[in-house]
Amino acid sequence: MVGMRTPATLALLVASGCQLVFPLDGPKTGIQPNDGSPEAGDSDALLSGSCPPAYILDLGTGSRYRLGTQTINWIDAANDCVADQSGALNRFTHLVVLSDAAEYTAIDTGFGSDHDALWIGLTDRQLEGTFQTVSTEPLQYPQDTTPSNSTPPWGNNEPDDNGDEDGVRYIGEVGTPPRSLDDFDETQGMLYLCECDTFAPDPAKYNLNVAVDPPAPPSK
């Protein structure tokens, strides 16, 4: 059953009290009971780390994702993702940070047919016009921290800072990818995408008072 990667199988594993365990750069290699005790033969998987059980969305990027189904503002979305940290082992949780064009395309394909906008982990709250990720991962996609309007993956005339827009959303018409990035009023509510990877959230970049504990060491 572990080798089957269908959503139904993943949901069954989670429902049965198991935490999915996998290396960051490959498929799952085993499961770990939620009591934290390793199963026989899973030592390599435990050394690689694991994400909280809710992070079952695998888009083939090496990360795991959770779709936030509440319609909330950007700050609350960032906080909600970070709050998942307690369920991770050698991994961190935060609003999704786009690492490259491949991840951008994977998310576009995975969610473009169902959701017209999602908050992501990009913001210029700290310094207007200078965009930063919400984690310790450096800005890689888009590469320019001070982008010119309409430079892909930014949308037409974006970012435009219309009314002090400090949150960034992934936006497009339902069912018609590709989508684009848009700076938007962070007080508005929308769905969001959380990511679990090896980069810790960095609240100093967006002025949030969120305490982030270091990941627990691997089980011996």
Side-chain angles (χ1 to χ4, degrees):
M1 177 181 292
V2 174
M4 299 174 60
R5 303 183 64 181
T6 65
T9 301
L10 296 177
L12 178 61
L13 287 172
V14 172
S16 64
C18 292
Q19 178 176 340
L20 303 179
V21 177
F22 43 82
L24 184 68
D25 57 355
K28 302 184 303 298
T29 56
I31 58 175
Q32 176 189 353
N34 282 340
D35 62 5
S37 58
E39 286 195 348
D42 282 345
S43 59
D44 290 341
L46 292 177
L47 289 173
S48 297
S50 61
C51 290
Y55 285 71
I56 63 173
L57 300 176
D58 178 7
L59 302 179
T61 64
S63 295
R64 291 297 187 274
Y65 305 89
R66 173 178 73 84
L67 180 64
T69 56
Q70 306 174 73
T71 302
I72 56 180
N73 63 49
W74 188 91
I75 291 294
D76 287 345
N79 276 323
D80 189 57
C81 294
V82 172
D84 293 333
Q85 178 60 44
S86 60
L89 174 68
N90 286 347
R91 291 290 180 267
F92 297 98
T93 58
H94 48 77
L95 274 173
V96 63
V97 173
L98 302 175
S99 298
D100 50 35
E103 184 171 25
Y104 178 88
T105 300
I107 292 173
D108 193 29
T109 302
F111 298 98
S113 62
D114 299 318
H115 308 290
D116 59 359
L118 296 169
W119 286 129
I120 67 169
L122 193 61
T123 180
D124 65 343
R125 294 191 83 226
Q126 189 176 75
L127 180 62
E128 190 61 46
T130 299
F131 289 88
Q132 301 186 87
T133 68
V134 297
S135 74
T136 56
E137 180 176 4
L139 184 65
Q140 300 182 84
Y141 192 82
Q143 293 183 330
D144 193 352
T145 59
T146 56
S148 301
N149 285 356
S150 307
T151 302
W154 291 98
N156 189 37
N157 295 321
E158 300 294 343
D160 59 3
D161 190 36
N162 184 12
D164 195 26
E165 299 175 331
D166 293 334
V168 175
R169 60 180 180 169
Y170 199 52
I171 188 171
E173 294 184 18
V174 172
T176 57
R179 308 195 306 168
S180 58
L181 303 187
D182 168 34
D183 61 334
F184 196 68
D185 181 356
E186 66 178 25
T187 66
Q188 299 300 306
M190 69 184 66
L191 303 181
Y192 52 101
L193 189 63
C194 300
E195 179 178 18
C196 177
D197 62 14
T198 57
F199 294 98
D202 190 354
K205 292 181 179 179
Y206 49 98
N207 303 320
L208 288 181
N209 295 318
V210 178
V212 180
D213 295 327
S219 301
K220 297 293 185 180

